[in-house]
Amino acid sequence: MTADLDDFSLLVDLKGPSDLQRRPAYRPCLDASGEQLAEVLAPYHFEEQYPCGLASCRQPHQWGFLVITLNGIETNIGQVCGKNIFGDEFEIKAN
């Protein structure tokens, strides 16, 4: 699955929260317990703040990443939550 995602990761262009909301697999509030990271799809930087996509956080931020889980669910996540929830795998894939 990751190889397929790598082919398209450069095509993701996120200018604002509405770009996230239009994605079919996007969930604005994800309970990440039991979820595993498949890929970091794209970074983003929005002019307005938008809540973290993790149900355990929901902290508004302007900068973060669109991620997809092995279950095919996409959400937005900041760097701190990404590291806390998905560990070193997030750090590697986000850089």
Side-chain angles (χ1 to χ4, degrees):
M1 182 161 126
T2 302
D4 293 337
L5 292 173
D6 287 342
D7 294 340
F8 297 102
S9 62
L10 296 176
L11 300 176
V12 178
D13 187 24
L14 303 169
K15 303 257 190 252
S18 62
D19 293 325
L20 293 172
Q21 296 161 354
R22 282 195 288 269
R23 298 181 61 81
Y26 177 74
R27 300 296 175 267
C29 189
L30 174 69
D31 177 2
S33 59
E35 294 289 345
Q36 292 181 304
L37 181 67
E39 193 60 67
V40 174
L41 296 177
Y44 64 84
H45 183 239
F46 300 151
E47 289 193 23
E48 67 261 31
Q49 292 194 349
Y50 188 70
C52 178
L54 295 178
S56 62
C57 179
R58 306 301 289 152
Q59 174 70 36
H61 61 268
Q62 292 174 285
W63 182 84
F65 299 88
L66 174 64
V67 299
I68 187 167
T69 68
L70 288 177
N71 290 327
I73 301 168
E74 295 180 3
T75 199
N76 62 301
I77 189 170
Q79 181 134 359
V80 173
C81 283
K83 173 80 171 154
N84 289 343
I85 299 297
F86 298 117
D88 290 337
E89 185 177 9
F90 174 84
E91 287 283 307
I92 292 166
K93 291 180 177 188
N95 293 310

